[in-house]
Amino acid sequence: MKLLVGLGNPGAQYAGNRHNIGFMAIDAIAAANGVSNWKSKHAGLIAEAGIGGERALLLKPQTFMNKSGDSVQQTARFYKIDPADIIVFYDELDLAPGKVRVKVGGGNGGHNGLRSIDPQIGLNYKRVRLGIGHPGKEFVTHHVLGDFAKADQAWLTPLLDEIARQAPLLLRGDDSGFMNKLALAVKGDEPAKSEKPAAPRAQSHIRQARPAKPQAEVPKSGPMADMLSKLFGTKGE
């Protein structure tokens, strides 16, 4: 059995926060697989699911972010799930919004959820890093504890939908395939760019400042008109 964990903070006031994208990912997977039998156990909300023919346990720790490890460790111990079979979804500041990276092991990157999990189950678990973008060091707290903006739905909705759709790939260990599918889904949601005619060649500011030269008027009568008519065979009106 695999254990899929989404990190976030419990309570309605945090539900739309960027810090809760891990919860959102688990909720999307649950909805796509008809899961509604959530139970309050092991300091979290737990539900069993069949995903792509594989048994999985979904977990949303209810301990607040900085104590996520308590719930993960209790659940893993009770169900006898090895760290290698644990997959954790969480927000990643160091990735652009909508970007996703999957890896096993590594540091916690300052993330309080991972900082709580690592000492309790070790580092040999899979991390699904969901990019939310970095606003600058002084704005981090406000950014992660702020709700996603309406404009974010352009990438967030297709991302969560595709996470749910491609979860079987993740369970089978096809991390590259999973990441590629997500990248295509998010990119494909960008509005199509309208085709425009090629822009005229740029002019220097000096040339732009010069007044346009008036076009010489072709005489229609007189000696010059007669000469042009002989040269070019122009017929008079």
Side-chain angles (χ1 to χ4, degrees):
M1 179 185 283
K2 303 285 187 182
L3 173 59
L4 277 61
V5 183
L7 300 187
N9 287 312
Q13 68 269 40
Y14 302 108
N17 287 183
R18 293 179 181 87
H19 217 21
N20 274 39
I21 194 172
F23 275 9
M24 296 175 193
I26 293 296
D27 284 338
I29 293 171
N33 290 280
V35 175
S36 59
N37 57 330
W38 293 97
K39 297 177 182 178
S40 183
K41 292 174 67 176
H42 307 300
L45 290 175
I46 298 176
E48 290 192 30
I51 302 173
E54 300 219 21
R55 286 182 68 210
L57 201 62
L58 307 181
L59 172 66
K60 295 187 291 182
Q62 300 296 291
T63 54
F64 285 95
M65 187 68 80
N66 62 356
K67 291 188 177 181
S68 299
D70 295 352
S71 180
V72 175
Q73 193 270 344
Q74 288 176 40
T75 303
R77 182 177 59 189
F78 182 84
Y79 289 94
K80 297 180 173 58
I81 300 173
D82 292 332
D85 291 322
I86 298 175
I87 303 170
V88 178
F89 296 80
Y90 66 96
D91 56 300
E92 176 59 78
L93 283 165
D94 292 331
L95 287 177
K99 298 292 183 184
V100 177
R101 295 291 180 270
V102 180
K103 69 172 185 175
V104 175
N108 59 48
H111 193 284
N112 287 334
L114 302 189
R115 189 177 285 162
S116 171
I117 293 171
D118 290 353
Q120 302 211 49
I121 67 168
L123 305 179
N124 192 35
Y125 62 92
K126 188 173 292 185
R127 301 130 191 264
V128 182
R129 305 161 63 208
L130 307 174
I132 61 169
H134 202 303
K137 190 175 180 179
E138 64 272 32
F139 303 113
V140 165
T141 300
H142 177 76
H143 184 67
V144 299
L145 294 180
D147 286 356
F148 281 108
K150 286 184 179 179
D152 290 324
Q153 298 305 318
W155 62 264
L156 181 61
T157 299
L159 175 65
L160 295 174
D161 287 346
E162 200 66 12
I163 285 173
R165 192 175 294 117
Q166 304 303 335
L169 291 179
L170 199 59
L171 295 181
R172 291 198 299 265
D174 186 0
D175 299 343
S176 295
F178 177 78
M179 288 187 283
N180 288 338
K181 293 288 187 181
L182 267 56
L184 288 171
V186 173
K187 185 178 180 180
D189 193 70
E190 292 177 356
K193 295 179 180 179
S194 57
E195 293 185 7
K196 296 180 180 179
R201 188 176 177 180
Q203 296 180 332
S204 71
H205 64 283
I206 296 174
R207 185 177 291 273
Q208 290 173 5
R210 290 175 182 166
K213 292 181 180 179
Q215 290 188 346
E217 231 178 279
V218 179
K220 295 182 180 179
S221 60
M224 181 64 74
D226 293 338
M227 184 182 73
L228 290 174
S229 179
K230 289 178 182 178
L231 285 174
F232 299 108
T234 307
K235 294 181 180 179
E237 290 181 357

